[in-house]
Amino acid sequence: MSKHSALNNFGRSGNPAFRNHFDNSQTASNTSVRNPSYQNHFEANQSLSEGIMSLDGTVNKTGILLALCVGGAFFGWNAPGLALPAVIIGFVIALFTIFRPKNSPYTAPAYAAIEGVALGAITMVFEAQYPGIGIQAIGLTFGILASLLFCYKSGIIKPTENFRLMIFSATMGIALLYLISIIMSFFGNSIGFIHSNGLMGIGFSLFVVGIASLNLVLDFDFIEEGSEVGLPKYMEWYGAFSLMVTLVWLYLEILRLLAKIRSR
């Protein structure tokens, strides 16, 4: 990983690993920008007068999305029955944002608010069984976020091509395993260790938490590199959305891991 000059600004400023390649008309040469959450190919023909992606702008929009998520969580906490509808709606909005990044200034805030409702409702259910688990999961999630940002800034973790390939492969493997488990559940079966609170089940959850955490490094790299090459302004929302997707996944996996441990 090259030492990007914009990295220091990210440090002091207020998903699933795929690649995005953007043909940016604002740069003199073709530049490949890696998006850690999704794979899509499109041309960025936005003029300079409409603005370009900046690190500060992305950080600010990430803060907005987090605030919307927290607000939605308060609502979902008092309406646990909305968990499933919110998850489905959030998934649909996420897919739409993936394939229509130009709409991310509108869909990203909607996704954050809806996912907040889902997270609040889900957390309330877990909290009823294991008091205090919610604040523990939140603390671990943001602790991991801060730790990995430090590791990325200091160069301890470098998102090389081999690193990206490893995270991509592991993430796709987890997604496939979850999909198979969901399909099997329709027939009254399941992959036992995924939900088990035994050593194998806890080990699996630790592995998933690790992979979800490392996806954050790819998010940091995409946001930083996108800011340096001058992607269109709406990519600030898309970068913030990408980071939100990873944080939501990480939080849910930490919640599952803590529940497994406390149920032993």
Side-chain angles (χ1 to χ4, degrees), residues 136-219:
Q136 292 173 353
I138 293 172
L140 284 172
T141 299
F142 284 99
I144 290 173
L145 174 66
S147 298
L148 285 177
L149 178 58
F150 171 79
C151 290
Y152 176 76
K153 285 182 58 179
S154 61
I156 296 175
I157 298 179
K158 301 179 180 180
T160 62
E161 288 300 324
N162 287 336
F163 179 87
R164 292 185 180 94
L165 179 61
M166 178 190 71
I167 300 303
F168 173 82
S169 301
T171 303
M172 290 299 96
I174 293 168
L176 180 61
L177 191 63
Y178 279 161
L179 179 61
I180 293 174
S181 179
I182 292 173
I183 294 174
M184 289 178 63
S185 68
F186 292 139
F187 300 95
N189 296 312
S190 66
I191 302 177
F193 68 87
I194 291 181
H195 310 289
S196 169
N197 64 350
L199 292 180
M200 183 172 292
I202 292 175
F204 173 76
S205 287
L206 281 171
F207 172 76
V208 175
V209 167
I211 296 301
S213 300
L214 292 176
N215 270 276
L216 290 171
V217 175
L218 303 188
D219 286 322

Side-chain angles (χ1 to χ4, degrees), residues 77 126-138 255 258 262:
W77 180 274
F126 276 87
E127 189 74 21
Q129 300 180 61
Y130 313 107
I133 194 173
I135 192 65
Q136 292 173 353
I138 293 172
L255 203 60
L258 293 176
R262 294 184 59 173

Side-chain angles (χ1 to χ4, degrees), residues 102-114:
K102 287 187 177 181
N103 292 318
S104 57
Y106 313 103
T107 57
Y111 171 82
I114 294 297

